[in-house]
Amino acid sequence: MKITVCKTAVFLLLLSLVLTALSGCAGESDAEFLALTESLLEKSAAVNEICFGEGLAYDEKNGYTVSGYAEASEESRTKYGIQTVEELKALIAAVYSVAMVDHIDRVVFNPVKEENTFLTYRRYFDAMDGEGGVALMVKKDYLPIAHGDVSYKNLQIDSHGRNRATVLVDITVTDGKSTRTYESVSLAMRREDGAWKFDTVTYASLK
């Protein structure tokens, strides 16, 4: 009987140590979380510029063209390190949660109906360029909804759990000669497959 109790106590102790170790591996300190979030914010600025801001530049002179669209310029594709829509989607998925990626897909890549018409458009799509290659096409008259020149300062943790978090940040927008700061903007975050992603957009709206 004493041996059984002893074995049980040892088992429970080992189980406790394992769970504690696993718990430590699953989390991170506030300082580590802030550093990670700051890096994500910088990456999100590029994604926001492509998806909601001025977007990829296009080349009508040298690139492939179809009605209302022109191929993304080589300089623009090189700047962001993308050649196709799939590579652009991978860039987005590295920053935003699954729910946000689904939202961006609907407004950027899937056909959207133009107001008061039967016409639909997508901001970007891959087309065959006529020479057996893929051309990343850009809608030429897309109206941006987000500022492009944005910086993030004074990042703070509002809440930090194992899989959910909220951060507060000052978003500064430079528009021509004027500068505006939106203070303590709340951004939700979610841990998915072991990686933190933003669960809300991080851009400053033009409206």
Side-chain angles (χ1 to χ4, degrees), residues 12-185:
L12 292 175
L13 178 60
L14 290 174
L15 179 61
S16 175
L17 291 173
V18 169
L19 291 176
T20 300
L22 290 176
S23 176
C25 292
E28 65 279 297
S29 68
D30 284 353
E32 291 170 332
F33 176 74
L34 278 174
L36 182 150
T37 303
E38 187 172 4
S39 175
L40 270 182
L41 276 171
E42 293 305 316
K43 293 177 182 178
S44 77
V47 171
N48 294 337
E49 169 65 12
I50 297 171
C51 295
F52 307 111
E54 290 295 330
L56 297 174
Y58 52 84
D59 186 353
E60 288 187 282
K61 182 178 180 181
N62 301 309
Y64 183 64
T65 60
V66 296
S67 179
Y69 291 85
E71 184 177 359
S73 69
E74 182 177 354
E75 181 181 4
S76 189
R77 286 181 278 122
T78 300
K79 175 182 177 181
Y80 294 106
I82 55 176
Q83 299 294 327
T84 65
V85 162
E86 288 307 310
E87 291 179 355
L88 173 52
K89 287 185 176 182
L91 195 68
I92 296 168
V95 172
Y96 284 112
S97 67
V98 170
M100 280 303 306
V101 167
D102 182 61
H103 167 71
I104 295 172
D105 276 351
R106 291 197 303 271
V107 300
V108 176
F109 302 110
N110 294 337
V112 178
K113 183 179 178 182
E114 289 189 352
E115 189 175 359
N116 300 322
T117 74
F118 292 102
L119 300 176
T120 60
Y121 68 91
R122 294 169 287 177
R123 181 155 200 191
Y124 302 106
F125 72 94
D126 285 335
M128 300 303 295
D129 63 7
E131 298 179 359
V134 176
L136 175 52
M137 306 303 293
V138 182
K139 182 171 173 57
K140 293 188 289 186
D141 60 351
Y142 182 88
L143 296 177
I145 62 174
H147 287 283
D149 194 350
V150 174
S151 62
Y152 306 93
K153 298 178 180 179
N154 302 325
L155 183 63
Q156 301 177 43
I157 296 175
D158 185 39
S159 65
H160 179 199
R162 287 177 60 83
N163 296 307
R164 297 288 184 90
T166 306
V167 296
L168 302 176
V169 64
D170 295 344
I171 299 179
T172 301
V173 175
T174 303
D175 185 11
K177 295 182 179 180
S178 65
T179 299
R180 297 185 304 282
T181 299
Y182 302 86
E183 296 182 350
S184 296
V185 178

